[in-house]
């Protein structure tokens, strides 16, 4: 083993096994993320001062909302992976599309699916769509953090080679070179840091301005994902979309970077919209 390399800790990806039934950490991460988001969202909708009278769901209605979101995440995440990351394979073997247990989920696809579920829920219950997006955006980093930790436990989506890096790690099935533990980078940036940022925005009155929290989330996630992609090994079936196999921080465009650009622009548009609405409201009340 190279100097400074840290061997990957042996962690069984199966959290619980009862006879033929197995429960994996990745599945538990999804469940825990949804439950954690449900709990936090209940606290947010119950805090009247945070909303300044904006219409939003009652706490007891979030039980139904989570079903819309969960279905959207699973369907959108799977279809996103099929379309964005491995289309040729699934065109030749369409029966594998439903084989979710084999792995293969896309965050950007899951985000579109969740947004669709929130839109449907808002329309059915008569709530403003942006209120639903703001609420969901504040809690999404909980699931992102747990999901990336599960990626690390599964020893998947590892980082680019980093010989000599003091915390470089040798992952199973990734060759002998130490690599960036990019799953942990993403858990920190897309999960913990983004959660703290959005919590600050909420506490400073973000939920009083429709679209602001959702916009900050879109921009924040896009920046965090693009930065972390410089340290993450590209998906083997895609590689780099432009350029060659390069070292961290020296170029190369990945699918994750490309999909994050429209998310950043959409977030920026929402932030500017919220800013204009606030200025208009302040001017009319002056």
């Amino acid at each position: 083993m190279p100097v400074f390399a840290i061997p990957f800790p042996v962690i069984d990806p199966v959290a619980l096994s009862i006879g033929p039934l197995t429960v994996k950490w990745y599945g538990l991460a999804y469940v825990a993320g949804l439950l954690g988001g449900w709990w936090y969202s209940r606290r947010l909708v119950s805090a009247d001062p945070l909303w300044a009278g904006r219409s939003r769901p009652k706490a007891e209605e979030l039980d139904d909302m989570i079903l819309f979101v969960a279905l959207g995440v699973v369907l959108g995440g799977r279809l996103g992976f099929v379309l964005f990351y491995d289309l040729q394979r699934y065109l030749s073997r369409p029966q594998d599309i439903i084989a979710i247990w084999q792995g293969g989920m896309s965050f950007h696809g899951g985000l579109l699916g969740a947004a669709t579920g929130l839109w449907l829920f808002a329309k059915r219950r008569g709530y403003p769509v942006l209120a639903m997006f703001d609420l969901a955006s504040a809690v999404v980093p909980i699931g992102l953090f747990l999901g990336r930790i599960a990626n690390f436990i599964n020893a998947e989506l590892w980082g680019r080679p980093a010989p000599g890096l003091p915390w470089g790690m040798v992952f199973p099935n990734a060759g002998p070179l130490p690599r960036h533990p990019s799953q942990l980078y993403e858990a920190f940036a897309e999960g913990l840091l983004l959660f703290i940022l959005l919590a600050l925005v909420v506490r400073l009155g973000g939920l009083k301005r429709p679209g602001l929290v959702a916009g900050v989330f879109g921009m924040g996630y896009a920046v965090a994902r693009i930065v972390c992609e410089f340290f993450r090994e590209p998906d083997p079936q895609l590689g780099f979309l432009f350029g060659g196999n390069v070292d961290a921080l020296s170029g190369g465009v990945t699918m994750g970077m490309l999909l994050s650009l429209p998310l950043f622009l959409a977030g920026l548009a929402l932030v500017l919209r919220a800013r204009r609405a606030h200025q208009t409201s302040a001017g009319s009340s002056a």
Side-chain angles (χ1 to χ4, degrees):
M1 182 172 296
V3 179
F4 298 126
I6 301 175
F8 181 79
V10 179
I11 306 175
D12 192 340
V14 176
L16 179 65
S17 180
I18 304 176
L21 177 65
T22 60
V23 179
K24 295 186 176 182
W25 288 109
Y26 195 78
L28 286 179
Y30 266 84
V31 173
L34 288 170
L35 291 178
W38 168 81
W39 175 82
Y40 185 41
S41 61
R42 285 177 66 93
R43 291 178 62 88
L44 290 178
V45 299
S46 299
D48 292 332
L50 296 177
W51 296 86
R54 282 183 70 191
S55 177
R56 77 274 187 188
K58 299 180 178 63
E60 56 269 20
E61 293 180 289
L62 297 180
D63 297 354
D64 294 332
M65 187 192 79
I66 204 72
L67 295 178
F68 282 82
V69 173
L71 185 60
V73 167
V74 174
L75 293 179
R78 185 58 171 176
L79 290 177
F81 182 82
V82 171
L83 294 174
F84 301 141
Y85 287 92
D86 212 353
L87 181 59
Q88 291 302 317
R89 171 195 168 189
Y90 291 105
L91 286 177
S92 62
R93 294 181 57 84
Q95 67 273 19
D96 287 350
I97 293 177
I98 62 173
I100 299 178
W101 56 90
Q102 295 178 0
M105 299 287 282
S106 162
F107 167 78
H108 296 89
L111 181 63
L112 287 174
T116 302
L118 289 169
W119 180 83
L120 290 172
F121 178 83
K123 292 301 181 183
R124 286 171 62 94
R125 299 298 178 91
Y127 293 114
V129 174
L130 285 182
M132 305 306 305
F133 286 176
D134 286 337
L135 177 63
S137 295
V139 306
V140 165
I142 297 173
L144 288 172
F145 175 81
L146 295 172
R148 294 310 183 191
I149 295 297
N151 289 147
F152 179 77
I153 292 174
N154 285 349
E156 61 189 6
L157 306 182
W158 51 71
R160 302 185 194 182
L165 185 72
W167 57 88
M169 186 167 291
V170 177
F171 288 92
N173 305 315
L177 290 177
R179 295 174 175 272
H180 287 281
S182 58
Q183 313 97 322
L184 301 182
Y185 300 172
E186 292 189 80
F188 177 73
E190 302 166 8
L192 183 60
L193 279 185
L194 190 54
F195 178 82
I196 294 173
L197 172 63
L198 292 171
L200 289 174
V201 172
V202 166
R203 296 303 171 187
L204 292 174
L207 291 175
K208 301 174 184 178
R209 304 181 185 183
L212 181 60
V213 176
V216 173
F217 167 78
M219 296 175 66
Y221 177 84
V223 170
R225 178 65 181 268
I226 289 172
V227 170
C228 289
E229 284 282 320
F230 280 108
F231 301 96
R232 174 174 162 178
E233 184 77 7
D235 296 85
Q237 71 276 13
L238 290 178
F240 290 102
L241 304 183
F242 309 103
N245 190 357
V246 296
D247 295 329
L249 299 181
S250 60
V253 176
T254 66
M255 180 60 78
M257 293 177 180
L258 189 64
L259 293 175
S260 294
L261 290 177
L263 179 58
F264 179 89
L265 294 176
L268 178 61
L270 285 174
V271 170
L272 293 177
R273 180 189 183 279
R275 183 172 180 269
R276 286 195 299 269
H278 177 69
Q279 290 175 338
T280 301
S281 175
S284 62
S285 61

